[in-house]
Amino acid sequence: MNDMTPSKEERTEKLQGMGCKRKRVEDIRFVQGKGNYVDDLKLPGMLYGDFTRSPYGHARIKKIDATEAKAVPGVLAVLTAADLKPLSLHYMPTLAGDVQAVLAEEKVLYQNQEVAFIIAEDRYVAADAAELVEVEYEELPVLVDPFKAMAPGAPVLREDIKDKTDGAHGKRKHYNHIFAWEMGDKEATDTAFKKAEVTIKELISYQRVHPCPLETCQCVASFDKIKGELTVWGTFQAPHVIRTVASLISKIPEHKIHVIAPDIGGGFGNKVGAYPGYICAIVASIVTGRPVKWVEDRIENLSTTSFARDYHMTTEIAATKDGKVTGLRVHVLADHGAFDACADPSKWPAGFFNIVTGSYDFPVGPLRGRRRLHQQGAGRRRLSLLVPRHRGRLLHRARHGHPGAEARHGSGRAAHEEPHRPRAVSLPVGARLGIRFRRLPHRHEEGDGRGRLPASCARSRRRSRRPSSAARRATSWASA
């Protein structure tokens, strides 16, 4: 140390503590329009890519004719699955142990799926040429209801895996089934329900949502033929995953692939996985030896990138008459799209079950998740609201029509008891990528809920005695 080195006390004073005001360091360049986003990147000789997409949710591809598109001045090439298949580039691995089509080969499995990739000198030329690719389709029955995905005679979606009995997470029971995963003590839970004084069962659906970041997915791929190195700039939330996928697809060693994520206009999980646009831009750059930029528009982002939720959760709770919970059953049916390409590898199978109980102390509970394929047309912790939603109905039933505030705050965990610390679960997901993820447990802290809830109820009663807005308006008009 020297005289210029601040002392411990000075460093502590400068650091301040929780709740102090922190000066943001990135705002100045953003408010001055000096952010550095992917679409701001312009490289010498850069080409542009765009997709021809399917108007159907489920259809067989009979014929692709790109003659008119190739004749457009400025178009260098039109790629289809037939061009990628000889090089084994028509499928790419996913984080969940499945494979996903880069360009549709024999069938399209969701509306706006990528069918052909146009490479051109100008972005607008590429967009115009994409509309000139003629595709002949044979429309097939669609499947949009997850409850009918495994029904007898349901449409076969993934013909490439229809005969596989083993999936990445266990046995497959149906050609549209991905996996079923269970945890908990079933025998003890059955006993708890047999002894329960009060039980309740309800199906709650958490609708599909889309992250919808302000900046859509996009990338620039540039391959240096002399050095044999690939550089990819993109809106990546997980650059290392993109590098691994790019290496598996291109056979370029990972140490020769440089992935750069500049400023990103939002992600919310939407930009974790790899998309066909990334792979097609990389392939196009390798083939042409020039940088290739791909930028999706808003409709493409909403219709073809990763969605979230779409859970159908059947929940049963066992309890005593005073509202003390004694058992929990949860069955989750997840509607997961055409490919098992989950952007959050820890969400299934372990993540949901680590948080579904919230801060309630359930002694026993078997939990089961089932995932199915269908045609596809961020706030994971909101799922912990599942049990409180049911608790309201349970307490109402336990008190025979009275909400039972006493039972509500008397049935949680005592203040002196330890908060839940779910054990970490090691998941062999991403096996195709050579990646092993470890699920860190969430810690739910209840604290002294018994003391807080009565005070909240008292405040609520005071507010309920206040005149309503309509009454206040009526009074003011009368006095006027």
Side-chain angles (χ1 to χ4, degrees):
M1 294 181 64
N2 53 46
D3 294 338
M4 298 180 64
T5 303
S7 65
K8 178 180 178 181
E9 290 74 17
E10 291 172 331
R11 291 197 303 271
T12 302
E13 178 65 23
K14 186 177 180 179
L15 182 63
Q16 298 181 4
M18 185 178 297
C20 70
K21 183 177 180 181
R22 295 291 183 189
K23 185 177 181 180
R24 293 167 58 91
V25 297
E26 72 274 20
D27 289 356
I28 295 177
R29 60 190 177 91
F30 285 141
V31 298
Q32 293 180 354
K34 296 180 180 179
N36 181 32
Y37 296 94
V38 173
D39 206 20
D40 295 323
L41 185 62
K42 296 177 176 59
L43 300 177
M46 188 160 65
L47 303 174
Y48 298 85
D50 204 344
F51 283 108
T52 297
R53 297 178 179 273
S54 167
Y56 298 102
H58 192 202
R60 195 172 303 281
I61 298 175
K62 306 291 288 184
K63 180 182 178 181
I64 300 177
D65 186 356
T67 304
E68 288 189 37
K70 292 178 180 178
V72 175
V75 173
L76 274 68
V78 178
L79 299 178
T80 65
D83 301 308
L84 302 181
K85 188 173 182 179
L87 303 174
S88 299
L89 298 175
H90 58 311
Y91 276 92
M92 62 180 178
T94 72
L95 286 174
D98 194 8
V99 292
Q100 177 179 347
V102 176
L103 294 174
E105 182 186 5
E106 297 178 352
K107 288 204 313 181
V108 292
L109 295 173
Y110 55 89
Q111 192 174 32
N112 270 357
Q113 185 175 354
E114 301 83 356
V115 176
F117 187 70
I118 292 81
I119 309 164
E121 299 276 359
D122 181 86
R123 175 179 294 181
Y124 299 100
V125 171
D128 290 341
E131 297 182 359
L132 296 177
V133 177
E134 296 183 3
V135 185
E136 181 182 341
Y137 296 98
E138 176 190 343
E139 194 169 359
L140 299 173
V142 298
L143 181 58
V144 294
D145 186 345
F147 290 93
K148 299 178 181 179
M150 292 174 59
V156 179
L157 299 183
R158 292 284 298 281
E159 294 183 355
D160 58 312
I161 60 171
K162 66 178 181 179
D163 297 323
K164 290 183 63 176
T165 57
D166 293 317
H169 302 290
K171 294 290 184 181
R172 300 175 69 237
K173 302 177 181 179
H174 188 273
Y175 47 76
N176 288 332
H177 178 240
I178 300 176
F179 71 79
W181 193 84
E182 300 183 15
M183 70 173 293
D185 190 334
K186 183 179 184 304
E187 185 177 341
T189 304
D190 291 343
T191 301
F193 272 83
K194 289 179 181 178
K195 296 179 178 179
E197 298 172 320
V198 182
T199 62
I200 192 170
K201 181 178 181 179
E202 187 174 359
L203 169 65
I204 293 181
S205 293
Y206 192 156
Q207 77 281 1
R208 179 179 304 180
V209 297
H210 193 278
C212 195
L214 288 177
E215 178 193 34
T216 60
C217 296
Q218 44 199 262
C219 73
V220 175
S222 180
F223 180 65
D224 188 327
K225 289 189 175 182
I226 297 176
K227 295 182 179 179
E229 295 183 355
L230 174 67
T231 303
V232 185
W233 294 263
T235 53
F236 308 135
Q237 288 184 257
H240 293 83
V241 170
I242 302 301
R243 183 179 66 175
T244 301
V245 173
S247 177
L248 291 172
I249 288 288
S250 67
K251 304 300 186 290
I252 300 173
E254 285 197 36
H255 69 275
K256 288 194 173 185
I257 299 178
H258 312 286
V259 178
I260 302 170
D263 294 329
I264 298 178
F268 317 108
N270 187 241
K271 299 174 179 177
V272 173
Y275 292 112
Y278 305 158
I279 304 304
C280 287
I282 291 172
V283 172
S285 182
I286 293 174
V287 172
T288 63
R290 295 168 62 177
V292 178
K293 176 185 284 189
W294 168 73
V295 178
E296 68 178 0
D297 62 30
R298 177 56 60 193
I299 294 299
E300 291 174 317
N301 180 262
L302 288 172
S303 60
T304 65
T305 58
S306 297
F307 58 85
R309 312 306 162 254
D310 216 336
Y311 299 153
H312 305 276
M313 304 169 283
T314 302
T315 305
E316 297 177 77
I317 297 178
T320 61
K321 286 185 178 180
D322 64 357
K324 175 68 177 178
V325 293
T326 58
L328 171 69
R329 289 193 186 113
V330 179
H331 176 267
V332 183
L333 174 63
D335 195 344
H336 200 61
F339 304 102
D340 189 11
C342 185
D344 180 359
S346 65
K347 180 165 56 183
W348 287 93
F352 178 93
F353 299 137
N354 273 357
I355 66 172
V356 69
T357 57
S359 58
Y360 293 95
D361 192 6
F362 287 94
V364 291
L367 309 171
R368 183 159 57 117
R370 180 178 296 175
R371 181 178 286 179
R372 302 178 182 181
L373 296 169
H374 81 122
Q375 257 98 26
Q376 98 178 38
R380 182 172 66 247
R381 286 170 179 79
R382 296 189 189 96
L383 297 174
S384 60
L385 297 176
L386 173 67
V387 168
R389 167 69 178 84
H390 286 73
R391 287 267 300 148
R393 291 193 61 206
L394 175 71
L395 291 166
H396 183 80
R397 178 173 297 182
R399 306 295 289 187
H400 302 290
H402 189 278
E406 295 78 14
R408 183 184 297 272
H409 70 73
S411 59
R413 189 185 308 106
H416 66 272
E417 293 185 35
E418 281 289 304
H420 281 303
R421 291 185 178 85
R423 63 184 180 85
V425 180
S426 184
L427 302 176
V429 298
R432 291 178 180 268
L433 307 184
I435 302 173
R436 188 173 180 84
F437 297 89
R438 184 168 177 79
R439 175 67 170 168
L440 297 178
H442 293 290
R443 175 170 171 161
H444 300 284
E445 305 232 7
E446 172 119 353
D448 189 5
R450 303 183 181 201
R452 287 195 299 268
L453 191 59
S456 299
C457 291
R459 288 193 296 270
S460 178
R461 285 193 291 271
R462 287 197 296 271
R463 283 194 292 268
S464 67
R465 289 195 291 268
R466 298 174 184 172
S468 65
S469 299
R472 288 198 300 269
R473 285 195 299 269
T475 303
S476 62
W477 292 338
S479 60

